[in-house]
Amino acid sequence: MLFPDVHSAASLTVSPDRAQHFTSDSVSLTCEGNLTEWRVRKFSEDGRLSDCRRMTGSTCNIKTSKSDTGVYWCESGSGEFSSAVNITVQNDGNGPILVSPVHPVTEGASVSLSCSLRTQKILSNVFFYHNDKLIQNDTRGELKISAVSKSDEGFYKCQYSGRESAQSWMSVKVTVSGADSSSSPVWLMVGLVCGVSLIIILLLLLYRCRQSKYSCFTRSIQSESHSPGSSTNHGVNQDETHVYGSLQHGQHLN
């Protein structure tokens, strides 16, 4: 059961800080944020939504049972909420649990996964699986990833003495150019503003260019109307008038 990691007004801390727990473990989930009143909510495997029954201030206290497996988050009366975490309770009292981070791991950070029994915390000869594929089967009791990448995200489980743990999802928070990916919307807005500004500038330049072409065309027509050919025609008309006047004068003399 997976809920996306979102930007939130609060954080939810889990103690012990792991995704899997044994039955009858004492687990506390604490809401931390600007508000004073929070409630811890759960979405269970069977699809039921419920509130924590044992709240002390902003902390939910659980004595774990199989029914406590689910997705947990903090929520305020005004509708603000935290990111969600997945909690899995191991139903097999003799089986192992996978000790893995309950919160997303930042890309590039190191992380260690281990296998644990209720009666024995440190184990050796453990098999580790990533998305049901065996990735380590030697004498080491830990799976160490020195620099986490997005490809490391997925379901993990461990196996010890023929018994398997439940699987838990390890999420990887990707960073962009050394900054959190949450800065991406800021750069998106900057790019959008620059793009719109560029379009406006191009439209203004196109308008100026068209105006300039119209002005050149008008000047061309005006210059043609005052060309030497027009002056010559005017001179010819004057000569014709003079000749016509001379002929009329000659007729009067006769």
Side-chain angles (χ1 to χ4, degrees):
M1 211 174 342
L2 302 174
F3 275 39
D5 184 31
V6 295
H7 300 292
S8 55
S11 62
L12 175 60
T13 59
V14 181
S15 179
D17 186 14
R18 60 177 187 253
Q20 295 187 16
H21 303 270
F22 297 105
T23 54
S24 299
D25 277 353
S26 295
V27 178
S28 62
L29 298 92
T30 303
C31 302
E32 297 177 350
N34 296 328
L35 302 178
T36 56
E37 293 186 4
W38 295 96
R39 59 177 173 171
V40 175
R41 311 203 75 188
K42 179 186 74 171
F43 189 78
S44 60
E45 286 185 306
D46 58 7
R48 290 186 300 173
L49 179 64
S50 61
D51 294 340
C52 176
R53 296 185 301 271
R54 297 177 59 191
M55 289 289 298
T56 303
S58 297
T59 299
C60 172
N61 299 292
I62 302 172
K63 195 73 169 179
T64 57
S65 64
K66 181 59 179 175
S67 62
D68 291 315
T69 294
V71 179
Y72 291 80
W73 68 94
C74 300
E75 189 172 319
S76 69
S78 58
E80 295 178 293
F81 52 90
S82 71
S83 297
V85 299
N86 292 272
I87 298 295
T88 301
V89 179
Q90 172 63 280
N91 197 35
D92 182 359
N94 297 319
I97 64 169
L98 175 72
V99 180
S100 62
V102 68
H103 292 291
V105 180
T106 304
E107 184 182 38
S110 62
V111 65
S112 295
L113 281 68
S114 62
C115 210
S116 176
L117 293 174
R118 183 190 297 275
T119 57
Q120 189 176 354
K121 302 301 182 184
I122 300 176
L123 304 176
S124 58
N125 298 317
V126 176
F127 294 174
F128 289 96
Y129 295 82
H130 178 216
N131 295 330
D132 288 325
K133 181 181 179 181
L134 181 63
I135 55 175
Q136 182 173 301
N137 61 344
D138 53 31
T139 57
R140 291 173 293 175
E142 284 187 325
L143 173 64
K144 293 185 178 181
I145 305 174
S146 58
V148 173
S149 66
K150 193 64 177 177
S151 62
D152 294 314
E153 188 173 76
F155 286 103
Y156 287 83
K157 65 181 179 180
C158 64
Q159 184 184 67
Y160 177 74
S161 296
R163 290 181 177 270
E164 285 189 352
S165 71
Q167 61 179 6
S168 286
W169 177 268
M170 187 179 77
S171 181
V172 177
K173 186 194 300 184
V174 179
T175 57
V176 179
S177 300
D180 190 271
S181 57
S182 62
S183 63
S184 297
V186 176
W187 290 110
L188 180 62
M189 291 300 298
V190 171
L192 183 61
V193 171
C194 291
V196 171
S197 301
L198 182 60
I199 291 173
I200 293 173
I201 292 172
L202 290 174
L203 289 174
L204 288 174
L205 289 175
L206 182 61
Y207 175 78
R208 292 291 299 274
C209 182
R210 287 183 175 180
Q211 288 292 98
S212 178
K213 287 182 178 179
Y214 176 78
S215 177
C216 292
F217 179 73
T218 304
R219 286 198 299 269
S220 176
I221 294 176
Q222 291 175 348
S223 62
E224 288 179 3
S225 65
H226 295 84
S227 63
S230 176
S231 300
T232 303
N233 291 337
H234 181 68
V236 171
N237 292 335
Q238 287 182 340
D239 292 340
E240 288 177 351
T241 303
H242 178 72
V243 171
Y244 180 74
S246 298
L247 289 174
Q248 286 183 332
H249 181 69
Q251 290 176 353
H252 288 307
L253 290 176
N254 291 333

